[in-house]
Amino acid sequence: MNRFAALLDRLALEPSRNNKLRVLAAYFRETPDSDRGLALAAMTGALAVASIRPATVRALIAERVDPELFALSYDFVGDLSETVALMWPVDPARHHNRAPAPSLSAIVETLRATGKRDAPARLAGFLDDLDETGRWALLKLLTGALRIGVSARLAKTAVAALGDVSIEDVEEVWHGLAPPYAELFAWAEGRGPRPVSDDPAPFRAPMLAHALTPADMEALDPRDYIAEWKWDGVRVQAAVVDRADGARVARLYSRAGEDMSGAFPDMIEALLASTFVNVILDGELLVRDGAAIRPFADLQQRLNRKAPTAKMLRDFPPLLRVYDLLLDASEDIRATPFAARRRRLETLMRENPGAAFDLSPLVPFASFDELADMRREGPTATEGVMLKRADSVYVTGRPKGPWWKWKREPYNVDAVLMYAQRGHGKRASLYSDFTFGVWRDGDLLPVGKSYFGFTDAELSQLDKWVRENTTNRFGPVREVAHGADDGLVLEIAFEGLNRSTRHKSGLAMRFPRIARIRWDKKAGEADAIAALEALLPAPAVQPP
Amino acid sequence: MAGASDYLAAMSLSDVLTIAPAGLYCPAGDFYIDPLRPVARALITHGHADHARAGHGAVLATRETLDIMALRYGEKFAASRQAMAPGERITLGDVAISFHPAGHVLGSAQILVESKGYRVVVSGDYKRARDPTCAPFEPVRCHAFVSEATFGLPVFRHPDAAGEVDRLLRSIALFSDRAHMVGVYSLGKAQRVMALLREAGWERPLYIHGALEKITDYYARAGAPLGEIRKVSAADRATLAGEITLCPPSSLQDVWSRKFPDPVTAVASGWMRIRAFARQRGAQLPLAISDHADWDDLRATILETGCESLWVTHGAEDALVHWAGGQGIDARPLRLVGYGEGDEETAEGPA
């Protein structure tokens, strides 16, 4: 447990993804099987151990310390698990000649075998045996609030880094496995065979596209490619399979192989009720509104919830817009060319109609110039076009050449820098997070925040400008001069705009970045809010 | 204290010390202890800027504290000065005073004030944990104890400092291609971390920010086992991967730190026990190494003095006063404003 606790402690404060990965890989290398497997389960949300309610933790500490001292301490620390971990009374004799701290697997096994009534006493016993960091980690784990900034994908990437397998390989075998994943570690370390998935509806790592640049385009022959819309939703994979025993199984996976079925019970129901037989579909998950598609923000409402409410199910019905077929009537067709897969997909979708799924149409074109025009004026909920070689087979990962994404040009607005905040990690010494605003009635209204888009050289210029033009400080944040004559104009590029009740301006930019620093412009010449309001979609349904 | 006469039983702490605008004042001896603004006569417990200020008339302190004040403020930091050896007893007006090691930093002392047999000890800042760079705390029996309470909450139980240093060394083993920067207060913490690193077997040169140079030199001359110390030059910075650099905590987020290769930022402070503080300071590797007594040591020390009255000068007074009340000690928070605010742009001061 101590090693796991030290891991969480370090991960919680390490901002860089790459360094997190190194910390994780070192932990997996040095930790014995059952413990590292359970740690992996904890970080991928697959650890099944009865959770402990905060009230139980409070009751345990109340039996052990002066309530007044607890209140003062909790008020100071501000986090229940941490307060309890730090002030848990320790018998000095026991502390001195302590047996080795219990392992993560010993704790998990014991708690699994313990009934609800006895769980608090068992937990107290473990808290007695652990040190402060160990107690903190155990309480975080059991109260379900790890918050260490590690995604399931990052944890799996660290497993892949143990040896010669890829993250896509790990994602493909993942759904047939259960903690503590001994066979997965053995395979990653080159000591065992690739685990065989007996999952009836397995995940297949998706094929990804590169962004198309003008230079790339010159080398392409339009006749080799088929175009389709690039939808503004999330990439998903749907599997509908009849098991040997006759039971029907449907699953919805994210691009990274996370099982999203629980969050979209309506989609699962529609797939189960469909006439599909043993298929794996590749497509885009959207929210529909009759025949129309809702803005991305509405999909976000659904994505944010692990278990949707009845109102959400009613207000935000999902649509699966299918554009590829990997398994067709039990036949793995990934090695057939895209054009052939597409023909089979069209037949499949014609023969199996349903309201919750449809076929993503092709976009016929003669030249890239013509396609460029269509890309600009695509239907709502598209963000550009996809180009796929007609002869491309479906492979895992992101090969360069067969698939391209060609996004619409971003929107641009000239805004004025208002606040700057220090970054994290490498950027801890630099003012690198910028809040900017546009004019409304003579005042600046903050409309967004961005921390990228600039080069290192531009960042150091921005940092210097912030330091020299600071007018106010609020902790790590500096307010900078932003009058009509002394402010700095930033050209902000963004992908779209939505209404938002969370921001004072009433709007939220998608993917804003700093396209250019307009040293040449005066702040008074920056845009006004009307320029942005003109881009807003029609009012959306109020979120529940 | 055993054997107190009827006469003594009638005395109280407030007969010896009072709270004046400039801080703790002893009318019978006409002196202040660690005054917060310039006064005619000051007794100084230790050299941290919040306790030792420049501009007093006469200053009494240990030889080391006087030296440190001269290093920081220049030779003219006071009109006159007098060095006190540990345990040496002198009379000032109607009271006798003596200085006793406090174990906080080099030269730090508690001050014993005896008035007609009534003994008051003013702790200054103190710690009980082992420190190879300064004399250990000596408990002094007294009727009344004036204690700090920087870490006066039960959540503060400092871990073994050697274990914290070990975490730093393990991070270097894992990230040998990254610079390791340790934010430390320049007087005491820096040198203690250096000595602990040497004890842990780290034999490479230790690199320091210029702000640490004077005091570190002084410690080395006083015989602290610090090993080879090198001041970081501008050109060095990019080459310090896998090395340890010590600097003031504020420098970690300064332009200065930018040239180091992908630094791991460590901060050595008792506050690092609390994750929110670690996050606020941008510490990736918080090292809970403190120069103050933790909750357990504060309580043990108060009981050891045998005091019947307790004043708590600064820190988390409420919890300690609450606890002392439960022990039958007459305890009172002073809430002296001005201590715990160091000279290095840190919210919490030296710790």
Side-chain angles (χ1 to χ4, degrees), chain A residues 9-10 12-15 19 22-23 26 66 68-69 72-73 76-77 82-83 86-90 132-133 135-136 422 425-426 428-430 463 467, chain B residues 153-157 167 171 174-178 252-255 257-258 262 264 271 273-279 283-286 295 318-319 322:
Chain A
D9 204 22
R10 185 73 197 250
L13 294 168
E14 173 59 64
N19 288 328
R22 289 171 68 179
V23 171
D66 181 322
E68 169 101 24
L69 293 178
L72 287 166
S73 298
F76 185 83
V77 176
E82 193 172 346
T83 310
L86 289 172
M87 72 184 300
W88 189 264
V90 183
E132 280 85 351
T133 310
R135 289 194 288 269
W136 168 75
R422 279 205 195 107
K426 259 186 187 168
S429 71
L430 290 161
D463 177 74
R467 287 171 194 274
Chain B
L153 276 172
V155 289
F156 291 108
R157 279 185 305 211
R167 292 200 299 121
S171 176
L174 175 60
F175 291 117
S176 58
D177 55 341
R178 302 175 68 189
L252 292 174
Q253 294 180 336
D254 213 15
V255 183
S257 70
R258 231 179 258 170
D262 193 10
V264 174
W271 299 108
R273 208 54 171 151
I274 310 290
R275 285 174 179 78
F277 285 124
R279 217 165 279 131
Q284 289 155 23
L285 193 62
W295 174 250
D318 295 338
H322 171 78

Side-chain angles (χ1 to χ4, degrees), chain A residues 135-269:
Chain A
R135 289 194 288 269
W136 168 75
L138 181 59
L139 290 169
K140 286 283 173 195
L141 183 67
L142 296 179
T143 53
L146 278 186
R147 295 213 187 92
I148 49 169
V150 171
S151 65
R153 187 178 166 88
L154 191 69
K156 291 175 198 168
T157 307
V159 174
L162 289 175
D164 209 15
V165 302
S166 71
I167 169 66
E168 289 82 8
D169 285 334
V170 173
E171 283 171 345
E172 284 207 1
V173 301
W174 182 259
H175 288 280
L177 303 175
Y181 309 110
E183 66 276 44
L184 173 69
F185 285 107
W187 169 57
E189 289 174 338
R191 294 182 289 106
R194 180 182 171 110
V196 180
S197 171
D198 56 359
D199 192 312
F203 170 69
R204 298 282 173 239
M207 179 162 174
L208 304 172
H210 274 270
L212 186 66
T213 66
D216 294 323
M217 203 164 22
E218 298 211 342
L220 305 184
D221 184 338
R223 286 167 298 183
D224 294 338
Y225 285 85
I226 296 170
E228 53 189 61
W229 297 116
K230 183 176 186 332
W231 298 100
D232 189 14
V234 293
R235 180 85 177 271
V236 291
Q237 193 173 102
V240 190
V241 177
D242 288 336
R243 268 195 334 221
D245 64 2
R248 207 165 150 74
V249 180
R251 294 260 172 78
L252 190 68
Y253 294 109
S254 77
R255 192 180 104 167
E258 278 158 271
D259 193 338
M260 304 163 70
S261 308
F264 290 90
D266 40 1
M267 178 55 71
I268 296 297
E269 202 176 302

Side-chain angles (χ1 to χ4, degrees), chain A residues 357-436:
Chain A
F357 33 85
D358 66 9
L359 179 70
S360 178
L362 297 184
V363 183
F365 69 102
S367 69
F368 284 139
D369 285 344
E370 186 191 348
L371 189 60
D373 291 342
M374 290 192 281
R375 173 184 70 128
R376 257 191 302 280
E377 275 134 42
T380 46
T382 64
E383 49 176 5
V385 294
M386 296 293 301
L387 284 166
K388 297 178 177 173
R389 267 190 85 98
D391 61 359
S392 58
V393 296
Y394 196 98
V395 293
T396 284
R398 201 189 295 272
K400 192 153 188 177
W403 285 15
W404 300 97
K405 52 184 174 191
W406 193 16
K407 287 178 117 178
R408 186 181 296 146
E409 298 293 333
Y411 300 103
N412 280 290
V413 68
D414 283 339
V416 181
L417 178 60
M418 299 177 71
Y419 305 96
Q421 185 171 356
R422 279 205 195 107
H424 296 281
K426 259 186 187 168
R427 287 179 169 182
S429 71
L430 290 161
Y431 286 89
S432 60
D433 294 13
F434 304 104
T435 301
F436 45 82

Side-chain angles (χ1 to χ4, degrees), chain A residues 24 78 116 135 159 172 245 278 285-286 293 318 347 356 373 385 397 449 477-478 486:
Chain A
L24 277 166
K116 218 168 184 166
R135 289 194 288 269
V159 174
E172 284 207 1
D245 64 2
N278 298 337
L285 188 67
L286 302 159
I293 302 297
T347 309
D373 291 342
V385 294
K449 193 171 171 179
V477 177
R478 287 190 185 204
D486 55 2

